[in-house]
Amino acid sequence: FLSSYLGAIDNPNDPIIAGRMAVWISGFFGSGKSHFIKILSYLLGNRQAHCPETSIDKKAVDFFSGKIKDPMLLGDIKRTSAIDADIILFNIDSRADATDGRSTILSVFWRLFNESQGFCSDSLHIAEIERYLTRKGKYEDFKIKFKEIYGSEWEIERDAYSLFQDEIVEAISIVLDKNPDATKDWFEKYENSFTLTVEHFAKRVKEYLDSKSKNHRIIFLVDEIGQFIGNDTHLMLNLQTIVEDLGRICNGRAWVLVTAQEDIDAVLGDIRSREANDFSKIQGRFNTRLSLSSANTDEVIQARLLEKQDKAKTELE
């Protein structure tokens, strides 16, 4: 993984390397897929842990310093943790909405992307309005004005926006200094004309990345995608289009890591046996494929679970 990730960082102008921005992690139950991407998410974002007993703060990368014996590997880990990245980790099954149909995976990606920026995750068009206000530098003013008018915090009430549309329109018209009737028409247009397309989503991600430093990355870590897709051709095509457009439009700055019980060839082979669809694009993007097994169980048990302090060792013996 580190080789692929850092390789793309070091070769931003190579479209082939930059386009390989997806990772397929496979392994049976108990092989550690979920644990692997969770720890990887901490490392990629260099999350900080706080110990309440000692009041010591410790970055994720610091936990590896005493465990990694290979200096080259440790160097790559430190390089990885130093890269600015937004991390979006989720279990696809727990965040999916069955009413979204064939666009379920896209909808989850978009909602989690909005949520990571502090925008509404339940309503995509409300999030777009929040994003517009943010671009205009008026989002904080809007929240203050909405509270003055309605008497409650915007973030608490926005999921039920249809109940107080008039108050929302009034607050927007004031902060943008626009005619209330024109603002109402604009608000309703957003609601009725919002398009849920993969290309639209990928362009939103690119806009966000362009507002950051050139090395900034956004990384989606999706647990149990294989189980969620199953044999559903439409869901696999939805995933393929997401990965393809993120790779094409974001030039290697948006990454997708997924876990599944089977490797990608086995999943696609099973679907191909019944449907005549071309999945060559998804295979090209998922160039990095990691297979986890139970081969190192003894190390996990001995080094991570059973290794004790000398006093405890004596007592156990």
Side-chain angles (χ1 to χ4, degrees):
F1 170 76
L2 292 171
S3 177
S4 298
Y5 188 64
L6 293 175
I9 299 288
D10 294 336
N11 298 277
N13 298 320
D14 187 324
I16 296 176
I17 295 176
R20 296 168 177 171
M21 33 56 71
V23 180
W24 189 282
I25 303 161
S26 60
F28 292 113
F29 283 120
S31 60
K33 301 184 300 298
S34 299
H35 183 71
F36 178 75
I37 65 166
K38 184 182 288 186
I39 297 300
L40 199 56
S41 74
Y42 296 156
L43 189 60
L44 290 166
N46 205 10
R47 289 274 298 276
Q48 181 168 285
H50 175 76
C51 179
E53 296 174 0
T54 61
S55 296
I56 294 175
D57 294 327
K58 197 173 179 181
K59 292 282 192 178
V61 67
D62 297 328
F63 286 89
F64 286 80
S65 297
K67 296 180 179 180
I68 304 296
K69 308 303 180 185
D70 182 345
M72 296 295 290
L73 174 58
L74 184 59
D76 284 346
I77 288 176
K78 288 181 176 179
R79 270 195 70 199
T80 300
S81 65
I83 298 165
D84 289 332
D86 287 318
I87 309 301
I88 302 177
L89 170 68
F90 59 97
N91 182 300
I92 184 73
D93 197 37
S94 68
R95 299 305 297 259
D97 186 342
T99 60
D100 290 325
R102 296 180 178 181
S103 299
T104 301
I105 297 177
L106 171 60
S107 180
V108 174
F109 268 74
W110 207 325
R111 293 176 197 278
L112 271 292
F113 173 62
N114 288 339
E115 186 179 287
S116 71
Q117 295 177 62
F119 299 142
C120 181
S121 61
D122 282 347
S123 174
L124 296 176
H125 81 275
I126 290 294
E128 286 295 287
I129 291 172
E130 293 173 320
R131 186 172 280 112
Y132 176 82
L133 291 169
T134 300
R135 284 202 301 268
K136 294 295 183 181
K138 297 293 184 179
Y139 186 39
E140 294 302 321
D141 294 340
F142 162 76
K143 289 193 285 187
I144 293 170
K145 185 58 65 178
F146 177 83
K147 186 176 181 180
E148 288 177 7
I149 296 170
Y150 192 72
S152 183
E153 300 287 349
W154 166 246
E155 286 90 343
I156 296 173
E157 305 293 346
R158 63 186 175 187
D159 291 345
Y161 73 91
S162 58
L163 298 177
F164 40 83
Q165 183 171 318
D166 291 341
E167 289 84 349
I168 297 173
V169 169
E170 183 182 351
I172 293 174
S173 65
I174 292 171
V175 299
L176 293 181
D177 192 23
K178 299 293 183 182
N179 178 279
D181 290 335
T183 304
K184 184 177 182 180
D185 291 341
W186 174 79
F187 181 87
E188 291 176 347
K189 181 181 178 182
Y190 251 112
E191 183 175 12
N192 297 326
S193 63
F194 179 82
T195 54
L196 182 68
T197 66
V198 176
E199 186 171 11
H200 189 186
F201 167 69
K203 286 180 177 178
R204 280 286 178 265
V205 174
K206 184 178 186 300
E207 285 175 11
Y208 172 73
L209 289 169
D210 288 344
S211 71
K212 301 290 184 178
S213 65
K214 64 178 183 178
N215 283 328
H216 195 90
R217 298 292 186 271
I218 186 166
I219 304 169
F220 297 91
L221 300 104
V222 192
D223 201 13
E224 296 295 357
I225 194 79
Q227 185 176 342
F228 182 75
I229 289 175
N231 294 323
D232 193 322
T233 306
H234 301 298
L235 291 179
M236 180 57 84
L237 287 170
N238 196 208
L239 177 63
Q240 170 168 276
T241 310
I242 292 168
V243 174
E244 172 66 16
D245 279 13
L246 284 176
R248 176 175 56 86
I249 293 173
C250 299
N251 193 35
R253 297 174 67 196
W255 280 66
V256 178
L257 283 70
V258 305
T259 72
Q261 289 184 46
E262 296 181 293
D263 62 46
I264 189 170
D265 291 330
V267 174
L268 292 177
D270 194 35
I271 293 177
R272 275 204 191 96
S273 65
R274 296 173 296 103
E275 302 282 348
N277 285 288
D278 180 14
F279 290 106
S280 57
K281 290 182 178 179
I282 197 171
Q283 288 176 299
R285 296 297 181 186
F286 280 103
N287 186 68
T288 303
R289 304 173 190 182
L290 313 178
S291 179
L292 302 187
S293 71
S294 56
N296 295 322
T297 303
D298 56 341
E299 182 186 346
V300 174
I301 293 171
Q302 292 172 19
R304 302 288 174 256
L305 300 180
L306 296 183
E307 194 172 79
K308 307 294 180 185
Q309 297 175 356
D310 290 338
K311 184 180 177 181
K313 283 182 181 178
T314 304
E315 188 174 340
L316 285 171
E317 287 173 355

